[in-house]
Amino acid sequence: MKFLDEYRDPAAVARLRHAIGQVAKRPWVLMEVCGGQTHSIVRHGIDELLPPEVTLVHGPGCPVCVTPLELIDRAIAIASRSDVIFCSFGDMLRVPGSRRDLAGVKAAGGDVRIVYSPLDCLSLAERNPDRTVVFFAVGFETTAPANATAVWQAKRRRLTNFAVLVSHVLVPPAMEAILASPINRVQGFLAAGHVCSIMGTAEYEPLAQKHRVPIVVTGFEPVDLLEGTLRCVTMLEEGRHGVENAYPRAVQPQGNPHARQVVEEVFELTDRKWRGIGMISRSGYRLRPAYAEFDAEARFSVNEITAEESRLCLSGLVLQGMKKPHECPAFGKECTPQTPLGATMVSAEGACAAYYHYGRLRGSGCEVCG
Ligand code: SF4
């Protein structure tokens, strides 16, 4: 398959693995900030192919994982109303709230539906004028354009029975928070290729300059990930910092101007709480005042709902690269995908779930080169 097979080519993987081994002379810690990359790294055993000098840690790149527990509880409160049709992507349904999840609301008779696009909610709202259709707008910069488009269209179509529960977060402020932490051990980043395909690469330059770190825009296949790692380690060994693009087939420096334009029209920056990490200044989006009528939190008065995290869960340390999932005492015991204590275990893109599914405690190898 074009654009896939060549990026899983065993010979290319072996060549890059050898090159990293030749370049890496000192210990380096690199972080990817994308759940898709985390999943691919663990699935293909990329981190286990690397020389002992290079450690990959997994950052807060899974949007489901960083959605605060209290926001899940607010979603459940809204979804439990008889006058609401609550729509979400499928990965949010099994994320546990304080007492139950959205799948439990559905099982109890709530009208909770999985949609594949927020735009589907608009026609649903038109067909159900006596109920309010609420979309759970979770995600990073990648999902923001479609969600912004849905709100923009709803306003033009004068839909009064559509609203969004917004939980959008942004990657660069999270990287800034990790780099600024006194316990930080990350020395270089593999930046998420799909985020950069929307936003471009300019936002990363100030980070790289301020903290003197290499940031390499990286794709998702084994060859992409090893190429990004090689370029990051090479920059570190040569004492260079800055931004490099190792994913040019998808990422242009300016990103996608049309997508950015609709996001800019509908959303504005706000402080956001990240699950396991806490509040990060200007790290997410909220609706602009011109679109406030579509704010589900305000419409259903759920802002006062708060929640307390499990004391056993170390996902905050996992998300900051301070712990690997299997170093959590609850991993595979109290906490499994069937009984998740934290969102990093329930989401397919969560680091804990990836380690569990791919049997990291039982040993694994690379799917590509064995
Ligand atoms: S294994 Fe479970 S309890 Fe431990 S950090 Fe991961 S999600 Fe939290």
Side-chain angles (χ1 to χ4, degrees), residues 31-32 34-36 38-39 42 57-69 72 91-92 94-97 140 274-277 309-310 312-332 335-358:
M31 173 180 274
E32 85 279 356
C34 166
T38 301
H39 199 262
V42 181
V57 293
H58 318 299
C62 158
V64 176
C65 304
V66 300
T67 300
L69 184 59
I72 308 290
D91 53 1
M92 294 307 298
R94 282 206 57 246
V95 180
F140 284 98
W274 293 56
R275 189 169 188 175
I277 296 177
E309 297 281 356
S310 160
L312 287 176
C313 181
L314 304 182
S315 62
L317 295 176
V318 173
L319 291 169
Q320 295 174 82
M322 304 307 298
K323 291 266 185 206
K324 295 272 188 153
H326 60 263
E327 293 168 351
C328 170
F331 178 83
C335 185
T336 70
Q338 287 72 43
T339 56
L341 293 180
T344 42
M345 183 59 94
V346 79
S347 165
E349 290 194 347
C352 298
Y355 272 58
Y356 189 91
H357 285 304
Y358 294 112

Side-chain angles (χ1 to χ4, degrees), residues 106-280:
K106 185 175 174 64
D111 197 345
V112 178
R113 305 188 191 187
I114 294 174
V115 293
Y116 297 99
S117 164
L119 296 170
D120 295 343
C121 300
L122 303 187
S123 45
L124 192 61
E126 283 168 339
R127 291 198 304 275
N128 294 273
D130 53 335
R131 298 166 75 197
T132 300
V133 175
V134 179
F135 179 69
F136 201 177
V138 173
F140 284 98
E141 293 92 327
T142 35
T143 53
N147 295 342
T149 301
V151 174
W152 185 84
Q153 284 204 6
K155 192 170 180 74
R156 261 115 211 104
R157 287 154 74 166
R158 301 183 194 284
L159 279 177
T160 56
N161 65 328
F162 172 71
V164 283
L165 178 57
V166 179
S167 181
H168 273 300
V169 284
L170 306 171
V171 173
M175 291 166 64
E176 165 69 34
I178 288 166
L179 288 167
S181 166
I183 57 170
N184 172 51
R185 65 184 190 125
V186 178
Q187 294 157 298
F189 283 97
L190 308 182
H194 58 348
V195 169
C196 296
S197 71
I198 302 291
M199 303 303 289
T201 56
E203 289 181 307
Y204 296 90
E205 281 293 349
L207 269 179
Q209 299 306 325
K210 177 180 174 186
H211 295 281
R212 304 181 66 79
V213 292
I215 300 174
V216 180
V217 179
T218 301
F220 300 85
E221 296 299 330
V223 168
D224 292 319
L225 292 160
L226 288 167
E227 175 71 27
T229 302
L230 174 62
R231 289 172 70 157
C232 203
V233 172
T234 301
M235 291 173 79
L236 285 164
E237 288 286 352
E238 293 177 354
R240 292 189 288 121
H241 59 274
V243 179
E244 289 193 2
N245 182 4
Y247 197 39
R249 70 183 186 278
V251 174
Q252 301 296 314
Q254 72 278 16
N256 182 330
H258 297 296
R260 291 170 61 182
Q261 192 177 359
V262 69
V263 170
E264 179 72 12
E265 160 69 24
V266 172
F267 292 126
E268 62 183 10
L269 289 176
T270 187
D271 299 347
R272 280 266 169 215
K273 188 174 172 185
W274 293 56
R275 189 169 188 175
I277 296 177
M279 193 66 81
I280 302 179

